[in-house]
Amino acid sequence: MDRETRLKRLRFRAWHRGTKEADLLIGGFFDARSAGWSDTEITLVEELLEEQDVDIMAWAIGTAVPPERYVGSIVAALKTLNYVPIAE
């Protein structure tokens, strides 16, 4: 499958997680970061999206340690949380 198709499928999966909180966190992360991902990072995100939302959210806010395979640029970017819209 080509890169554009992979990213479209990932975007849908990122924004349709099941809860509004997970959609905002994971979907917002995807929208903010996906343009710069390498093919290796896209593959890693595909694997990440197979994980449970509560686990991904815990890794993002730092209340749980992610598995070693996710440690690196993806989880570091996920932890910044500057992509989550906050109403003032």
Side-chain angles (χ1 to χ4, degrees):
M1 165 177 354
D2 67 28
R3 179 183 175 87
E4 183 179 337
T5 303
R6 286 175 78 191
L7 287 172
K8 283 180 182 179
R9 290 178 72 164
L10 277 176
R11 185 174 194 281
F12 182 86
R13 289 178 57 208
W15 277 104
H16 295 86
R17 302 299 297 180
T19 65
K20 187 65 172 177
E21 294 84 358
D23 290 349
L24 289 171
L25 180 95
I26 300 166
F29 170 70
F30 179 88
D31 286 352
R33 306 285 188 208
S34 63
W37 288 339
S38 67
D39 288 341
T40 302
E41 290 172 318
I42 291 171
T43 299
L44 187 60
V45 172
E46 286 171 334
E47 294 172 14
L48 179 73
L49 293 184
E50 294 296 323
E51 302 288 347
Q52 297 293 316
D53 293 346
V54 293
D55 294 332
I56 297 170
M57 293 174 78
W59 302 333
I61 63 174
T63 58
V65 178
E68 191 65 33
R69 68 183 176 275
Y70 299 130
V71 174
S73 63
I74 297 295
V75 170
L78 187 63
K79 285 183 173 184
T80 63
L81 298 176
N82 63 354
Y83 50 83
V84 178
I86 299 173
E88 294 184 31

